[in-house]
Amino acid sequence: MSHHPTGKSLFLGSFIHSKSLDELEYLHDSAVCVNEHGVIVAIEKGCDLKKAEETLFPKLGWSAGDVTVKTAKPGQFFFPGFIDTHIHASQYPNAGIFGKTTLLDWLNTYTFPMESSLSVESKAKTVYTRCIQRTLSNGTTTASYYATISVPSTNLLADLCLEYGQRAFIGRCCMDTLSPDFYRDESPATALADTRATISHIASIDPSHSLVTPIITPRFAPSCSSELMHGLGALQKETNLPVQTHIAENPKEVALVKSLFPEHESYTHVYDNHGLLGPKTILAHAVHLSEVEVDLIKEREGKISHCPASNSAITSGTAKVRRLLNKGIEVGLGTDMSGGYSPSILEAVRQASLVSRHVAMGGEEEAKLSIEEVLYLGTKGGAKVVGLGDKIGGFGVGMEWDAQLIGLGSVDGDLGFGDEGPVDIFGWETWEERVAKWVFNGDDRNTQAVWVKGRLVHERKI
């Protein structure tokens, strides 16, 4: 395992993060101290470098000469790193390629051939490396990844996440039925053995799962036999590892599950009856759930990854996020690349807003999600979904420094274009308005720098 010492750091400027689902907290002219382990040890409002050196450092036993200082420029702000709760690293080359397909034909036309081709290590390394680099450059500090059925390819993804410093959950896809002959597990036994092999590999490179964690990954019920799902449920009980899968993404998929598992009351009951639905389960999509299913997910404390860009791109439907939130279910955002066309959670944030408006147009005015709410889903909500709500997703003493520095373009007198991205700030906007302009107009050009666990993992070169 490669270690990357970070040293002590002081961050100065404006800090914005979710205080609750519907409230952003703005900390201006503030200081955040991060120790050599990447943990926030002090937050002080109304604090500049001089005050930090005179008051904060002595309290912490720090010497100014040992501290790296990063000061946000006027108009810049620090924001928590984005958390992608559902992304297929193995599908990255297909981002934007989906034609007129819907879920089931999309899988056979584009997805399975691409994923199976990553059994070639050189190709897998190229794809995974660029996927990690691209998501980091978009501010994604944590990703819950689906890899492929290949153990070496899945292990390589774990190795690369550790090398590049991205916090990650790594899932080897399990699929022993209703999959192409060229891309499926030989049997439930081999699927379980291969899953254990990946779990062991990750334990060897990151024993404490400080950055990389294995996640049990039955692809979705239609591609898993009952025997395999029972085995994976038993494995979860044995290891207490998280689980990720898909649910109720597409109406035809829901009908398929009903035909394959007629003895179960619903799609959600299939997972529940196999021991795969619990507090550590991430269910992606959840577009077409009955009230009974929503109540069961709440009862089992399951989590949901909302993937608005994907649900629109491959015509899956409009998830009713407000209904889930009102039930008290934890919801985060996923890019679902490459069902989703973009590697950016910021894009998922704005699409979550727009999709909620489409739901509202159907007569549910309450469905609309605010700027504050969609940013919560992309950060603090996502942290809770992946089981790290006490560690990442916001700024607080004792939390880890997973953060991004956001810079917005200032319109100056000569009205020339710099390389500051597509967000134009004229100077009269309130901070709330600046954040709204970033949400709806921003992209990776606004992401100036990214840190994970205190380590600088991306810096934009201008």
Side-chain angles (χ1 to χ4, degrees):
M1 170 180 174
S2 55
H3 294 271
H4 299 272
T6 57
K8 302 177 180 70
S9 299
L10 170 68
F11 297 91
L12 296 166
S14 293
F15 301 80
I16 304 173
H17 69 144
S18 293
K19 195 171 183 179
S20 63
L21 174 62
D22 57 5
E23 183 184 358
L24 287 172
E25 182 175 34
Y26 294 79
L27 303 171
H28 298 301
D29 303 315
S30 296
V32 173
C33 295
V34 178
N35 70 13
E36 62 272 23
H37 304 295
V39 176
I40 298 171
V41 291
I43 299 177
E44 189 79 14
K45 297 178 185 177
C47 186
D48 59 12
L49 178 58
K50 185 172 184 292
K51 184 178 177 183
E53 290 178 342
E54 291 176 352
T55 61
L56 277 183
F57 290 6
K59 286 181 190 175
L60 298 170
W62 285 12
S63 169
D66 298 330
V67 180
T68 300
V69 179
K70 178 66 177 180
T71 304
K73 296 175 183 176
Q76 294 183 337
F77 60 94
F78 294 99
F79 195 78
F82 287 132
I83 297 163
D84 192 339
T85 59
H86 183 72
I87 176 172
H88 296 262
S90 50
Q91 297 174 19
Y92 176 56
N94 283 349
I97 303 172
F98 49 86
K100 291 185 177 181
T101 57
T102 52
L103 176 64
L104 300 179
D105 53 331
W106 169 81
L107 285 170
N108 289 308
T109 304
Y110 300 108
T111 303
F112 292 149
M114 174 57 69
E115 289 190 16
S116 66
S117 74
L118 297 196
S119 59
V120 178
E121 184 178 346
S122 59
K123 184 173 182 178
K125 186 170 186 179
T126 299
V127 169
Y128 290 154
T129 297
R130 182 43 60 98
C131 177
I132 294 165
Q133 291 172 333
R134 183 65 67 187
T135 52
L136 283 173
S137 74
N138 277 279
T140 298
T141 50
T142 299
S144 192
Y145 282 124
Y146 286 59
T148 70
I149 67 172
S150 164
V151 173
S153 177
T154 303
N155 291 350
L156 176 62
L157 177 59
D159 294 341
L160 291 169
C161 286
L162 198 61
E163 178 184 341
Y164 284 93
Q166 187 174 52
R167 197 183 297 271
F169 294 82
I170 305 292
R172 180 206 161 271
C173 288
C174 295
M175 39 195 287
D176 69 334
T177 186
L178 224 64
S179 305
D181 290 340
F182 62 85
Y183 189 58
R184 66 163 70 191
D185 289 309
E186 289 180 15
S187 68
T190 59
L192 287 163
D194 285 353
T195 297
R196 286 183 182 276
T198 292
I199 292 169
S200 297
H201 176 75
I202 293 173
S204 74
I205 61 171
D206 190 357
S208 64
H209 299 161
S210 63
L211 209 64
V212 180
T213 303
I215 184 165
I216 296 167
T217 306
R219 185 178 201 108
F220 68 155
S223 66
C224 296
S225 65
S226 185
E227 183 183 348
L228 174 54
M229 285 193 283
H230 275 303
L232 292 172
L235 181 62
Q236 195 286 323
K237 191 172 183 181
E238 172 195 332
T239 60
N240 198 32
L241 288 171
V243 173
Q244 64 180 356
T245 191
H246 301 76
I247 193 167
E249 180 176 356
N250 172 286
K252 288 184 179 179
E253 167 213 7
V254 174
L256 177 61
V257 170
K258 189 170 182 62
S259 70
L260 292 170
F261 300 94
E263 68 278 19
H264 299 274
E265 184 179 337
S266 72
Y267 200 156
T268 304
H269 285 84
V270 172
Y271 292 134
D272 188 47
N273 295 336
H274 287 91
L276 290 168
L277 180 60
K280 290 193 167 188
T281 302
I282 305 172
L283 299 167
H285 301 287
V287 179
H288 305 282
L289 293 174
S290 68
E291 285 298 321
V292 170
E293 289 179 282
V294 172
D295 289 340
L296 179 58
I297 291 167
K298 169 60 178 172
E299 184 182 338
R300 296 289 187 264
E301 300 179 63
K303 312 299 192 289
I304 287 176
S305 173
H306 176 42
C307 305
S310 170
N311 294 340
S312 296
I314 58 173
T315 336
S316 297
T318 49
K320 296 182 177 180
V321 173
R322 178 69 68 200
R323 174 176 70 148
L324 302 171
L325 293 172
N326 285 348
K327 288 279 189 178
I329 295 172
E330 302 290 354
V331 181
L333 295 179
T335 59
D336 190 32
M337 210 170 48
S338 67
Y341 51 82
S342 170
S344 166
I345 284 291
L346 184 62
E347 177 68 17
V349 163
R350 62 175 153 256
Q351 289 299 325
S353 172
L354 295 176
V355 165
S356 76
R357 279 154 173 74
H358 281 278
V359 176
M361 288 179 221
E364 300 179 40
E365 183 64 23
E366 188 202 18
K368 281 194 279 191
L369 298 172
S370 67
I371 292 286
E372 290 79 9
E373 288 172 323
V374 288
L375 285 172
Y376 173 94
L377 297 182
T379 54
K380 192 176 286 288
K384 291 181 177 181
V385 166
V386 300
L388 297 175
D390 59 343
K391 187 177 285 190
I392 58 174
F395 301 133
V397 173
M399 300 183 78
E400 296 188 1
W401 180 253
D402 284 20
Q404 47 185 324
L405 176 63
I406 303 301
L408 305 178
S410 176
V411 178
D412 54 27
D414 64 10
L415 297 181
F417 277 110
D419 191 21
E420 296 175 300
V423 184
D424 287 326
I425 300 299
F426 290 86
W428 55 70
E429 298 92 344
T430 65
W431 270 98
E432 289 80 5
E433 289 168 341
R434 293 179 188 200
V435 169
K437 291 179 79 165
W438 169 56
V439 165
F440 283 107
N441 296 296
D443 61 22
D444 60 325
R445 287 169 288 180
N446 301 114
T447 309
Q448 303 298 309
V450 180
W451 295 263
V452 176
K453 213 171 188 282
R455 174 188 167 191
L456 181 66
V457 293
H458 170 73
E459 190 166 27
R460 179 163 167 74
K461 307 297 183 186
I462 298 178

